[in-house]
Amino acid sequence: MDIDGNPCIGSALCINNPLKLDLDLFKLDSTAERDAYETANSSAPTYTIPTINPADYAPLVAGGGSNHYILNDDGTVTQGGTETIINCGSDGLCTGGTTVAAPTGWTFASGEWKVTGSSAANGVFYAESKVEISGSPGSDASPWQATIIARDSIKVSGNPDIKPYLSATAELQNTLFVTGNDLEISGNMEANYAGGAILVHEQIKISGNPKINGWIIAGDGRPTWSGDPFPTASVGVTMNEISGNAEITYSCDTSCSGPGCPSMTISTVSWSQKF
């Protein structure tokens, strides 16, 4: 920790102080005060970001039954069941199951699963490849209910109205996106209905005018694991970046118990907005 300047730390009044109350207690306006604060807080406990590995979710989706789909990297779609078991390996690739038609609104082209139209089936979708949503399914009155988990990256360039699918599998509930690589949102996505976790192994890039209710973890490639297929970014997102006019309402009102969710309770201690 290296503090420069004369910051105000430790009180909500540092940001919003309409009465001009005395904040000397919270200002680090001398070298001695900065050094003392650094010394005290450099030894604070650290918290490990959870491992965000889509392969951990694949068996949950494979065993989820109706409206839970494995979008294979060869363009086929499979579902599991009591008679047809899907086996998903630690590499995030799955075999077996019953081959079914692609869910409404989903197509496969150039090695990617895509949603290009104005409507798409509700459900939980695990893709062995990249996912791109350039269409605009859902509306304010009837949002698209989807949980999308991609072994590779997810790119949202359309204007979907989307909320997490209410799966019967607890670990899949309240989860909107999980990626093994990057997440890029450049359209005007509406995802402000119910708090949903967005878990990204690599980097995020958010532009446009999306509205998101929930919380985001971007691991920047860490922690990694043996056999991680995407230890570095592959779609041009080289750093975490938010631009445009994104509205992100931080909310942990709903629980997230999937493999990539943090084990500790997340709470807002302070908030600062920078431009």
Side-chain angles (χ1 to χ4, degrees), residues 171-219:
E171 293 88 348
L172 297 173
Q173 294 178 6
N174 307 315
T175 299
L176 187 61
F177 298 138
V178 180
T179 77
N181 203 340
D182 297 323
L183 171 67
E184 185 173 359
I185 299 174
S186 59
N188 301 321
M189 181 181 76
E190 298 270 355
N192 58 340
Y193 296 94
I198 296 177
L199 310 174
V200 180
H201 174 48
E202 282 289 346
Q203 291 87 11
I204 61 167
K205 182 176 182 180
I206 299 177
S207 58
N209 304 289
K211 295 181 180 180
I212 300 171
N213 184 357
W215 47 277
I216 302 170
I217 293 178

Side-chain angles (χ1 to χ4, degrees), residues 81-217:
T82 56
E83 297 181 1
T84 53
I85 304 300
I86 297 178
N87 296 308
C88 297
S90 60
D91 59 358
L93 301 176
C94 303
T95 59
T98 299
T99 300
V100 298
T104 300
W106 288 87
T107 58
F108 185 78
S110 302
E112 296 184 20
W113 280 100
K114 302 181 179 183
V115 175
T116 59
S118 59
S119 63
N122 296 332
V124 181
F125 308 93
Y126 176 86
E128 296 179 338
S129 65
K130 294 181 180 179
V131 170
E132 181 173 356
I133 303 167
S134 59
S136 303
S139 64
D140 287 341
S142 180
W144 180 29
Q145 299 179 43
T147 291
I148 301 174
I149 302 163
R151 182 176 179 268
D152 202 322
S153 299
I154 296 176
K155 183 176 182 179
V156 182
S157 58
N159 306 311
D161 265 270
I162 184 172
K163 64 184 294 186
Y165 181 77
L166 185 59
S167 172
T169 303
E171 293 88 348
L172 297 173
Q173 294 178 6
N174 307 315
T175 299
L176 187 61
F177 298 138
V178 180
T179 77
N181 203 340
D182 297 323
L183 171 67
E184 185 173 359
I185 299 174
S186 59
N188 301 321
M189 181 181 76
E190 298 270 355
N192 58 340
Y193 296 94
I198 296 177
L199 310 174
V200 180
H201 174 48
E202 282 289 346
Q203 291 87 11
I204 61 167
K205 182 176 182 180
I206 299 177
S207 58
N209 304 289
K211 295 181 180 180
I212 300 171
N213 184 357
W215 47 277
I216 302 170
I217 293 178

